[in-house]
Amino acid sequence: MNHDILKERQNATFDVEKLTNILDGGPEKTKRRREIESMVLSDPDFKEEDPNFLSRSERYEQAVRKSAQMILKLREYGIADPEEIICYKSCVHPGRPEPLDLHLGMFLPTLLNQATPEQMDRFFMPAWNLEIIGTYAQTEMGHGTHLRGLETTATYDPATQQFVLNSPTVSSIKWWPGGLGKTSNHAIVLAQLHTQGNCHGLHAFIVPIRDMNTHDPLPGIVVGDIGPKFGFSEVDNGFLKMDNVRIPRENMLMKYAKVEPDGTYVKPPSAKLTYGTMVFIRSMIVGESARALAKSTTIAIRYSAVRHQSEIRTGEPEPQILDYQTQQYKLFPLLATAYAFTFVGQYMNQTYHRITGDINQGNFSELPELHALSAGLKAFTTWTANAAIEVCRMSCGGHGYSRSSALPDIYVEFTPTCTYEGENTVMMLQTARYLVKSYRQAKAGQQLSGIVSYLNETEHRRIQAQPASARPTVVDINDLASLVEVYKLRAATLVDLAAKSIQQELQNRKSQEDAWNNSAIDLVRASDAHCHYVVVKLFTEKLGEIGDTAIHSVLSTLALLYTLHGITENSGDFLLAGLLNVPQILQISLRIKELLSQLRPNAVALVDAFDIHDKKLKSVLGRYDGNVYENMFEWARRSPLNSSEVHDSFHKYLKPLRSKL
Amino acid sequence: MNHDILKERQNATFDVEKLTNILDGGPEKTKRRREIESMVLSDPDFKEEDPNFLSRSERYEQAVRKSAQMILKLREYGIADPEEIICYKSCVHPGRPEPLDLHLGMFLPTLLNQATPEQMDRFFMPAWNLEIIGTYAQTEMGHGTHLRGLETTATYDPATQQFVLNSPTVSSIKWWPGGLGKTSNHAIVLAQLHTQGNCHGLHAFIVPIRDMNTHDPLPGIVVGDIGPKFGFSEVDNGFLKMDNVRIPRENMLMKYAKVEPDGTYVKPPSAKLTYGTMVFIRSMIVGESARALAKSTTIAIRYSAVRHQSEIRTGEPEPQILDYQTQQYKLFPLLATAYAFTFVGQYMNQTYHRITGDINQGNFSELPELHALSAGLKAFTTWTANAAIEVCRMSCGGHGYSRSSALPDIYVEFTPTCTYEGENTVMMLQTARYLVKSYRQAKAGQQLSGIVSYLNETEHRRIQAQPASARPTVVDINDLASLVEVYKLRAATLVDLAAKSIQQELQNRKSQEDAWNNSAIDLVRASDAHCHYVVVKLFTEKLGEIGDTAIHSVLSTLALLYTLHGITENSGDFLLAGLLNVPQILQISLRIKELLSQLRPNAVALVDAFDIHDKKLKSVLGRYDGNVYENMFEWARRSPLNSSEVHDSFHKYLKPLRSKL
């Protein structure tokens, strides 16, 4: 064990294990998580070569091998609880998506939700046993977020009782679905349903794409991998072009909507049911943001404790870089953010499950708010984490660029969350739509409940050119409750500004739609402020649940840092709204410096509490034992370019060059 | 040609070619650049496979092949002007560093600057003819920015008249030098010189590391590649461990410092001479920031003109995504930044050359300011561009993640600029040191000249809790000169705040060093504001040189957008300093929206003016003809994973799985 990092651990003021339990949701959960982790991490069948040393094709192959093993072992050990499966998978493919993700996460669940009993008989067990391997083909080359724009057609032919599927244009080629390129032999294809001369919009069809036995593409099918990407190298995101591909009528997923043998279309009873899945996935992504940040800060903070560089005081030994104020200012707010997002993720998960219960009993009342919240928080947390990973990486100096640090991989595997499952700007605008709607309801005298209830109060507030310092100042910058209030009022102010912008545009005779588009900047800002408020609020509320004094103390410091840092980063908003005055902003800057010093002795312990196993972290910089340099050297020597002392190119190009010059 | 992008070009209000000439520095320069480009881009010897389809080893080999060709052709065509060489190289290896970069850019120039005539005879011509291939080995595994911390030793042995080189620890292993891993047979090694029992600090030594004939590592040398990185896949960044490696005394670069045969050390006459190189390289990096941004905005804006998605008005066709206000707000300020940085890059280049003339005549007076400015601007522009590339990438939706977009590659090749040649935070603190020194001189009554002369005025200003709105408001938010003034005063305010923070710490009995460290956050902010002011100022000044009315008009709009956007992004600073009041901040938000609309018709023409050849851009999304989708499909089909219809892993793992489940 490196002596610096040992010393850091000795200086911690709280019990790391207890905090780990809080993060896991209880000591039993910690225990079970570790059991599952050790099942995988000690299993020789899951040994792997560092993917960074492999070609794309080798990476894909290694992932397929491990996924196949994983399926076998999950069955063997009888692990069936979804959370435990996710935990197991996250050890088999640490930090990386894999070729069967869509089969397990979309194909099977979609069958469960939308297949008829007859279809379940035909497809589910073969899919469960991996004879059928499926994916979910929605996105097209020219169409993503806007589903109505999808061009793929499924035209019903009553003569043969078949659907004829076509990709009528280049832009209609299915593009991006994971596992589509090489792995799957079936796809659930989303297509515009045409029957009896009418188009009935998007429906889902089960389309065989490869021969079950030979795995060759079937007639009319052009299928393949979409090529290398930023990350996701293990996954064969694919394309699918269909040319008069015929499938039996019974391959349309017909639990809800139907097409009768004669071509008569039967509408689904309700459209609200698919709503829930999106909310669930977006809520999950909030948790992923937290995990990506936890990993990144673990690496950056541990390395900053081990790394000595430059000098603070002349003549003294090089200090740990964690002693530099600028390094603390880079990393500790992100550490605080990792905690904040962890708790927000827990909240979203709990709320989702609570509301799902309500929904099953026919009570949809909380769904719109959760839907709006999950959209905004998905965007807010992924954008924040995305930028934060890079700050962590760059805080490690040159070594952050080495793949051995793991930070480049964390970034490229995480960054797609900003785009998939709803592009972030579009998500922010969805939340804004809910906020503006609520705002108008409040204006119209309706009493709002839930998280947006603060909009009831906006009537009394107004942006004015009034000097902030002239107002009564009641904010206590050391009191979280008081600061949550300030964030709330900031959100209220920005929602008000956005709504006024729309109003102004309408008064200038713009259409509703143009007024909306011409206010989009303000709307995104309002959503952002709303989400920021929610995060601050949930972090603060979480403190109320913490019994252990030492942990309560350090988490309170983190929460305060998170909150005050957010204010300095957005000080213009708070000044503009007259919520804080200039002396307070200056005071907050000083207070932040104090909080950084206060957190310094606990920094390593706070990342230790995330309890990310070295084999999951896969970072030489972030090793628990702090023995960075010898391991980096060892890693480098295993690099493929070092498999021979002299590279062929010397004999082929460099040496012959001499005689020509 | 895609009809959308054609229409965009028809709507432009200015002559694109004329603007290209301004960016190049004159029509002749445009002409010559294009000549060189077509020399390379039409040359079949430089044809290459898309590196994204190759393994690391294949990428390295392809790069070596092309570099060897390049050397031959440069000699053949007699291209010797450094700028023209850089242009030629940027076409041979578009956007990518290559294995001979350090040989050409550091090894040869260091010989020229620091070798004795005898050493020139022995090393220069062999190096010129690529018999000797060299690199520059400074950074060690545990030591980067802080040169005094380097551990490698060169101990003089008078008995044999040799230096004995050693890597005494793991952390002293040379790490990162480009071309060190596989390509070079020599290295200029920076090591602590020990002679006659004394250490005289860092000196440079020419160390043979591989056999000239067989290319095998020499005895006592352990050399290799440091393994895969985030980008730089063509370069064999390497490690070098030396164990009692002996070199003749004459291999120390002795133009300045010397070691006599008996071991007597002779000091160099002046230390200032190496100063210039750093300034030059950092100034160059400012230009690189501009180029990276030019590329990224070209791709994102062209694609946004071609891409249709969602709806603004119900029932109407999907609009170009460039019509969304949020998309404009993401991209147009970055477009403005690309122009701003281009002009700042030009200024830095000119200033460097002007001052170099002075230096050669013994006049060093402007060097400290340029040194401070180049450090800060290097950090300011690379941080900005780094984040901006990712905004551009994510503004392209899912396809921004595809390697075919080129955006992932632009990012990974560019991001190291934030760390190399001086880590950005350290750079900002260097600039801050100069600012604080100047501030103190001004306080002491000294009259400052040059860019920091505004610090003369700070005496009259002070941060106060005074309401901004209560002050006389003279700022015209449509007048660039007035806004430059505001940026200047913001910088002055933040320098003042940082200096006061140090003072406060000193009053609390902190040492100078601790006071500095405890004010580092404020110091970085001050430098940032200073650099921002310089950029705004230089952009505005550049407008004075533009004769063409149409171009002057559109560039003025860009400059205003850049300036106002910077204010909204940092509105807290301007409010806090009492430089702008709340109504002005709100007015600026509205004005920005108008500027976005105003720029919309010229957006594509403005990126066209960067005149980046499709073969240099290498992006299917950014193609000049806008034919994105068919080319993306074609690119994907060439991907290695599609070389066979059925991947081996199906037969090896997926099919056998069936019988086991």
Side-chain angles (χ1 to χ4, degrees):
Chain A
M1 180 85 68
N2 172 288
H3 68 274
D4 282 316
I5 211 158
L6 192 66
K7 217 176 62 198
E8 295 291 335
R9 291 187 174 119
Q10 288 161 350
N11 290 341
T13 63
F14 65 94
D15 182 339
V16 170
E17 180 69 12
K18 279 191 190 156
L19 182 49
T20 300
N21 294 338
I22 292 171
L23 293 171
D24 278 322
E28 318 71 38
K29 292 225 171 173
T30 301
K31 183 160 165 273
R32 179 62 180 152
R33 173 177 59 74
R34 287 183 184 152
E35 272 170 20
I36 294 174
E37 282 176 1
S38 86
M39 255 185 234
V40 181
L41 300 176
S42 64
D43 187 335
D45 284 341
F46 290 126
K47 250 194 101 157
E48 64 164 22
E49 178 58 280
D50 187 323
N52 285 305
F53 293 161
L54 302 177
S55 71
R56 171 85 204 288
S57 176
E58 290 164 342
R59 291 179 75 145
Y60 170 70
E61 177 159 331
Q62 174 163 282
V64 170
R65 172 179 68 75
K66 292 173 69 183
S67 293
Q69 283 293 341
M70 175 177 77
I71 302 280
L72 277 175
K73 305 230 168 180
L74 285 171
R75 306 267 162 101
E76 189 185 322
Y77 300 144
I79 295 174
D81 175 76
E83 260 184 50
E84 295 197 356
I85 291 176
I86 290 171
C87 177
Y88 195 93
K89 194 179 99 65
S90 77
C91 298
V92 175
H93 299 282
R96 298 189 296 266
E98 49 100 7
L100 293 181
D101 274 347
L102 274 270
H103 177 74
L104 302 171
M106 285 298 289
F107 190 80
L108 290 174
T110 305
L111 288 180
L112 284 169
N113 292 331
Q114 298 183 41
T116 63
E118 180 275 328
Q119 290 173 327
M120 284 297 283
D121 284 350
R122 235 179 338 135
F123 296 111
F124 193 82
M125 279 317 289
W128 183 250
N129 291 328
L130 278 291
E131 290 162 48
I132 286 178
I133 300 175
T135 182
Y136 189 86
Q138 177 173 297
T139 306
E140 296 173 359
M141 199 193 262
H143 309 278
T145 304
H146 185 60
L147 296 184
R148 267 172 295 169
L150 293 174
E151 296 177 79
T152 302
T153 55
T155 308
Y156 185 64
D157 172 11
T160 57
Q161 303 209 2
Q162 289 173 323
F163 287 103
V164 188
L165 282 108
N166 272 297
S167 311
T169 60
V170 175
S171 57
S172 77
I173 297 172
K174 292 292 178 188
W175 205 265
W176 281 110
L180 172 60
K182 294 284 151 184
T183 313
S184 301
N185 53 25
H186 282 67
I188 291 176
V189 170
L190 278 282
Q192 304 290 353
L193 164 60
H194 293 262
T195 180
Q196 297 179 335
N198 295 314
C199 176
H200 296 280
L202 275 194
H203 288 75
F205 303 84
I206 299 179
V207 181
I209 56 174
R210 287 178 180 269
D211 184 278
M212 299 271 284
N213 198 37
T214 65
H215 212 59
D216 281 319
L218 295 170
I221 299 280
V222 181
V223 66
D225 181 85
I226 62 164
K229 296 143 295 186
F230 207 32
F232 276 55
S233 296
E234 272 69 20
V235 182
D236 53 321
N237 298 80
F239 60 78
L240 172 65
K241 188 170 176 297
M242 292 171 292
D243 183 22
N244 286 314
V245 171
R246 286 178 169 264
I247 57 170
R249 183 184 67 91
E250 296 82 3
N251 275 24
M252 173 175 156
L253 285 172
M254 294 211 269
K255 185 164 174 187
Y256 303 114
K258 287 182 183 53
V259 170
E260 307 279 8
D262 68 348
T264 306
Y265 176 73
V266 184
K267 267 205 241 178
S270 159
K272 251 185 185 157
L273 292 154
T274 50
Y275 224 48
T277 316
M278 279 193 307
V279 172
F280 175 67
I281 292 177
R282 288 174 192 162
S283 301
M284 291 276 291
I285 292 176
V286 173
E288 277 178 42
S289 299
R291 272 183 294 279
L293 260 176
K295 279 190 187 180
S296 307
T297 52
T298 298
I299 296 166
I301 287 176
R302 284 188 185 156
Y303 180 57
S304 297
V306 168
R307 169 79 168 169
H308 290 256
Q309 185 75 178
S310 294
E311 53 188 18
I312 293 175
R313 300 185 197 86
T314 324
E316 290 190 15
E318 296 184 294
Q320 292 166 286
I321 60 173
L322 203 55
D323 286 335
Y324 288 96
Q325 190 181 67
T326 46
Q327 190 77 349
Q328 295 172 6
Y329 191 64
K330 280 178 196 169
L331 297 178
F332 294 173
L334 302 183
L335 176 62
T337 308
Y339 274 89
F341 289 1
T342 302
F343 298 137
V344 174
Q346 288 177 351
Y347 169 87
M348 291 300 284
N349 198 298
Q350 287 156 6
T351 308
Y352 173 76
H353 286 294
R354 181 172 58 75
I355 294 188
T356 306
D358 294 346
I359 292 172
N360 291 340
Q361 288 165 22
N363 175 4
F364 291 84
S365 63
E366 285 190 78
L367 195 55
E369 171 163 312
L370 185 64
H371 179 252
L373 190 61
S374 67
L377 283 177
K378 181 265 185 189
F380 182 83
T381 61
T382 57
W383 266 336
T384 303
N386 195 65
I389 296 166
E390 286 299 87
V391 172
C392 289
R393 184 176 64 71
M394 291 195 276
S395 80
C396 295
H399 297 325
Y401 295 84
S402 170
R403 294 270 174 182
S404 69
S405 74
L407 288 161
D409 288 320
I410 294 172
Y411 185 65
V412 298
E413 303 299 356
F414 180 79
T415 182
T417 60
C418 295
T419 304
Y420 65 46
E421 302 299 335
E423 194 277 326
N424 274 358
T425 302
V426 176
M427 291 300 94
M428 282 297 195
L429 289 170
Q430 272 189 17
T431 299
R433 207 170 278 281
Y434 182 74
L435 292 173
V436 169
K437 195 176 144 197
S438 302
Y439 171 90
R440 287 178 181 159
Q441 287 171 343
K443 284 270 178 194
Q446 219 170 303
Q447 197 59 26
L448 302 173
S449 63
I451 285 180
V452 293
S453 59
Y454 64 84
L455 294 172
N456 293 322
E457 307 159 29
T458 52
E459 203 40 30
H460 316 299
R461 300 192 42 78
R462 205 171 296 276
I463 290 286
Q464 290 166 357
Q466 191 183 328
S469 57
R471 300 203 191 159
T473 299
V474 290
V475 181
D476 175 356
I477 66 156
N478 288 305
D479 177 47
L480 276 165
S482 180
L483 292 167
V484 170
E485 197 63 18
V486 168
Y487 270 87
K488 187 175 89 176
L489 293 173
R490 169 192 176 223
T493 304
L494 293 184
V495 173
D496 187 57
L497 271 177
K500 295 253 167 68
S501 166
I502 297 174
Q503 211 174 308
Q504 188 61 47
E505 292 284 331
L506 291 172
Q507 279 167 9
N508 294 340
R509 298 173 181 280
K510 293 276 164 60
S511 68
Q512 279 286 353
E513 292 101 333
D514 286 334
W516 179 265
N517 186 36
N518 292 344
S519 307
I521 299 170
D522 310 284
L523 289 162
V524 171
R525 279 182 67 200
S527 284
D528 181 80
H530 174 73
C531 294
H532 211 154
Y533 155 61
V534 171
V535 174
V536 166
K537 181 172 176 284
L538 293 175
F539 198 168
T540 302
E541 285 173 3
K542 182 73 189 181
L543 296 175
E545 297 173 21
I546 314 285
D548 184 285
T549 322
I551 291 176
H552 189 275
S553 163
V554 70
L555 288 185
S556 300
T557 309
L558 276 179
L560 194 56
L561 178 63
Y562 179 79
T563 307
L564 294 180
H565 183 259
I567 291 177
T568 56
E569 292 284 292
N570 300 280
S571 59
D573 286 356
F574 293 90
L575 288 168
L576 179 137
L579 298 166
L580 294 168
N581 57 32
V582 170
Q584 285 171 322
I585 296 289
L586 294 173
Q587 210 185 329
I588 286 172
S589 294
L590 289 175
R591 190 74 183 97
I592 286 175
K593 292 183 191 178
E594 291 168 10
L595 295 172
L596 297 178
S597 303
Q598 229 168 296
L599 284 168
R600 170 68 187 81
N602 279 320
V604 168
L606 281 166
V607 299
D608 284 351
F610 294 132
D611 194 29
I612 305 166
H613 195 289
D614 272 354
K615 285 188 181 169
K616 287 185 76 177
L617 200 57
K618 298 172 84 67
S619 168
V620 295
L621 300 186
R623 292 171 63 92
Y624 185 81
D625 66 9
N627 294 328
V628 167
Y629 295 126
E630 39 286 55
N631 283 287
M632 184 176 288
F633 190 37
E634 196 201 308
W635 180 85
R637 299 196 77 168
R638 289 198 291 115
S639 164
L641 227 50
N642 295 326
S643 62
S644 65
E645 284 286 7
V646 180
H647 195 267
D648 286 349
S649 57
F650 172 74
H651 297 294
K652 281 163 88 171
Y653 305 114
L654 291 177
K655 205 172 175 188
L657 186 61
R658 295 177 185 173
S659 59
K660 298 179 197 160
L661 289 172
Chain B
M1 181 83 69
N2 172 288
H3 69 276
D4 282 315
I5 212 159
L6 192 67
K7 217 176 62 198
E8 295 291 335
R9 292 187 174 120
Q10 288 161 350
N11 290 341
T13 63
F14 66 93
D15 182 339
V16 170
E17 180 69 12
K18 279 190 191 157
L19 181 49
T20 300
N21 294 338
I22 291 170
L23 293 171
D24 279 322
E28 319 69 38
K29 292 226 170 171
T30 302
K31 185 161 165 271
R32 180 60 180 154
R33 173 177 58 76
R34 287 183 185 153
E35 272 169 21
I36 294 174
E37 282 176 1
S38 86
M39 255 184 236
V40 181
L41 300 175
S42 64
D43 187 336
D45 285 341
F46 290 125
K47 248 193 102 160
E48 64 164 22
E49 178 56 282
D50 187 324
N52 285 304
F53 293 162
L54 302 178
S55 71
R56 170 87 203 289
S57 176
E58 290 164 341
R59 289 179 76 146
Y60 169 69
E61 176 159 332
Q62 174 163 281
V64 170
R65 173 178 67 76
K66 291 173 69 185
S67 294
Q69 283 293 341
M70 175 177 78
I71 302 280
L72 276 175
K73 305 229 170 183
L74 285 171
R75 307 268 161 103
E76 189 185 321
Y77 301 144
I79 296 174
D81 176 76
E83 261 185 50
E84 294 197 356
I85 291 176
I86 289 171
C87 177
Y88 195 93
K89 194 179 98 66
S90 77
C91 298
V92 175
H93 299 281
R96 297 190 295 268
E98 49 101 5
L100 293 181
D101 274 347
L102 274 270
H103 177 73
L104 302 170
M106 284 298 288
F107 190 79
L108 291 174
T110 304
L111 287 181
L112 284 169
N113 293 330
Q114 297 183 41
T116 62
E118 180 275 328
Q119 290 173 328
M120 284 298 282
D121 283 351
R122 237 182 334 138
F123 296 111
F124 193 82
M125 279 317 290
W128 182 250
N129 290 329
L130 278 291
E131 289 161 49
I132 286 178
I133 301 175
T135 182
Y136 189 85
Q138 178 175 296
T139 306
E140 297 173 359
M141 200 193 260
H143 309 277
T145 303
H146 184 60
L147 296 185
R148 268 172 294 169
L150 293 174
E151 295 178 78
T152 302
T153 55
T155 307
Y156 186 63
D157 173 10
T160 57
Q161 303 209 1
Q162 290 173 323
F163 287 103
V164 187
L165 283 108
N166 273 297
S167 311
T169 60
V170 175
S171 57
S172 77
I173 297 171
K174 293 292 177 186
W175 205 264
W176 280 110
L180 172 61
K182 294 285 153 183
T183 313
S184 301
N185 53 24
H186 282 66
I188 290 176
V189 170
L190 277 282
Q192 305 289 353
L193 165 61
H194 293 262
T195 180
Q196 297 179 334
N198 294 313
C199 177
H200 296 279
L202 275 194
H203 288 76
F205 303 85
I206 300 179
V207 181
I209 55 174
R210 287 178 180 269
D211 183 278
M212 299 272 285
N213 198 36
T214 65
H215 211 59
D216 282 320
L218 294 171
I221 299 279
V222 181
V223 66
D225 181 85
I226 63 164
K229 296 144 296 186
F230 207 32
F232 276 55
S233 296
E234 272 70 18
V235 181
D236 52 322
N237 298 79
F239 60 77
L240 172 65
K241 187 170 177 297
M242 291 172 294
D243 183 21
N244 286 315
V245 172
R246 288 179 168 263
I247 56 169
R249 182 185 67 91
E250 296 81 4
N251 276 24
M252 171 175 159
L253 285 172
M254 293 210 269
K255 187 165 172 185
Y256 303 113
K258 288 182 183 52
V259 170
E260 307 280 7
D262 68 349
T264 307
Y265 176 72
V266 184
K267 267 205 240 178
S270 158
K272 252 185 184 159
L273 291 154
T274 50
Y275 223 50
T277 316
M278 281 194 305
V279 173
F280 175 68
I281 292 176
R282 289 174 192 162
S283 300
M284 291 276 291
I285 292 176
V286 173
E288 275 177 44
S289 299
R291 273 184 293 279
L293 261 177
K295 278 190 188 179
S296 307
T297 52
T298 298
I299 296 166
I301 288 177
R302 283 187 185 155
Y303 180 57
S304 297
V306 168
R307 169 79 168 167
H308 290 256
Q309 185 74 180
S310 296
E311 52 188 19
I312 293 174
R313 301 185 197 85
T314 325
E316 291 191 12
E318 296 183 294
Q320 293 165 284
I321 59 172
L322 203 54
D323 287 335
Y324 288 97
Q325 190 182 67
T326 46
Q327 190 78 350
Q328 295 172 6
Y329 191 64
K330 280 177 196 170
L331 297 178
F332 294 173
L334 302 183
L335 176 62
T337 308
Y339 273 89
F341 289 1
T342 303
F343 298 137
V344 174
Q346 288 178 353
Y347 169 86
M348 291 300 284
N349 198 297
Q350 287 154 8
T351 307
Y352 173 75
H353 285 296
R354 181 171 57 73
I355 294 187
T356 306
D358 294 346
I359 292 171
N360 291 341
Q361 288 164 23
N363 174 5
F364 292 84
S365 63
E366 285 191 77
L367 195 55
E369 170 162 313
L370 186 63
H371 180 253
L373 189 61
S374 67
L377 283 177
K378 181 265 186 189
F380 182 83
T381 61
T382 56
W383 264 338
T384 304
N386 196 65
I389 296 166
E390 286 299 88
V391 172
C392 288
R393 183 176 64 71
M394 292 196 275
S395 80
C396 294
H399 296 326
Y401 295 84
S402 170
R403 293 270 173 182
S404 69
S405 73
L407 287 161
D409 287 320
I410 294 172
Y411 185 65
V412 298
E413 303 300 355
F414 179 79
T415 183
T417 61
C418 295
T419 304
Y420 65 45
E421 303 298 337
E423 194 277 326
N424 274 358
T425 302
V426 177
M427 291 299 95
M428 281 298 196
L429 288 170
Q430 272 190 17
T431 300
R433 207 170 277 282
Y434 181 75
L435 292 173
V436 170
K437 195 176 143 197
S438 302
Y439 171 90
R440 286 177 180 161
Q441 288 170 343
K443 282 270 176 194
Q446 218 172 304
Q447 196 61 27
L448 303 173
S449 63
I451 284 179
V452 292
S453 58
Y454 65 84
L455 294 172
N456 293 321
E457 306 159 29
T458 52
E459 206 38 32
H460 316 301
R461 299 192 43 80
R462 204 171 296 277
I463 290 288
Q464 290 165 356
Q466 190 184 327
S469 56
R471 299 203 193 159
T473 298
V474 289
V475 181
D476 175 355
I477 66 155
N478 288 304
D479 177 47
L480 277 165
S482 180
L483 293 167
V484 171
E485 197 62 18
V486 169
Y487 270 87
K488 187 175 90 178
L489 294 173
R490 171 194 176 221
T493 304
L494 293 184
V495 173
D496 187 56
L497 271 179
K500 295 252 168 68
S501 166
I502 296 174
Q503 211 174 307
Q504 188 62 48
E505 293 284 331
L506 291 173
Q507 280 166 11
N508 294 341
R509 298 172 182 279
K510 293 277 164 59
S511 67
Q512 278 286 353
E513 291 101 333
D514 286 334
W516 180 265
N517 187 35
N518 292 344
S519 307
I521 299 169
D522 311 282
L523 289 162
V524 171
R525 280 182 67 199
S527 284
D528 181 82
H530 173 73
C531 294
H532 211 153
Y533 155 62
V534 171
V535 173
V536 166
K537 180 172 176 281
L538 293 175
F539 198 168
T540 303
E541 283 173 4
K542 182 74 189 181
L543 296 175
E545 297 172 20
I546 312 285
D548 184 285
T549 323
I551 291 176
H552 188 277
S553 164
V554 71
L555 288 185
S556 300
T557 309
L558 277 179
L560 194 57
L561 178 64
Y562 178 78
T563 307
L564 294 180
H565 183 258
I567 291 176
T568 57
E569 292 285 291
N570 300 281
S571 59
D573 287 355
F574 294 91
L575 288 167
L576 180 136
L579 299 166
L580 293 168
N581 57 32
V582 170
Q584 284 171 323
I585 296 290
L586 294 173
Q587 210 186 329
I588 286 172
S589 294
L590 289 175
R591 190 74 184 100
I592 286 175
K593 293 183 190 178
E594 290 168 11
L595 294 172
L596 297 178
S597 303
Q598 230 168 296
L599 284 168
R600 170 68 187 81
N602 279 321
V604 167
L606 281 166
V607 298
D608 284 352
F610 293 132
D611 195 29
I612 305 166
H613 195 289
D614 271 355
K615 286 187 180 169
K616 287 186 76 176
L617 200 56
K618 298 171 84 65
S619 167
V620 294
L621 300 185
R623 291 172 62 91
Y624 185 81
D625 67 10
N627 294 328
V628 167
Y629 295 125
E630 39 285 55
N631 283 287
M632 185 176 288
F633 190 38
E634 197 201 308
W635 180 86
R637 299 196 77 168
R638 288 198 290 114
S639 165
L641 227 49
N642 295 326
S643 61
S644 64
E645 284 286 5
V646 180
H647 195 268
D648 286 349
S649 57
F650 172 74
H651 297 295
K652 281 162 88 171
Y653 306 114
L654 292 177
K655 206 172 175 188
L657 186 61
R658 294 177 186 174
S659 59
K660 299 178 194 159
L661 289 171

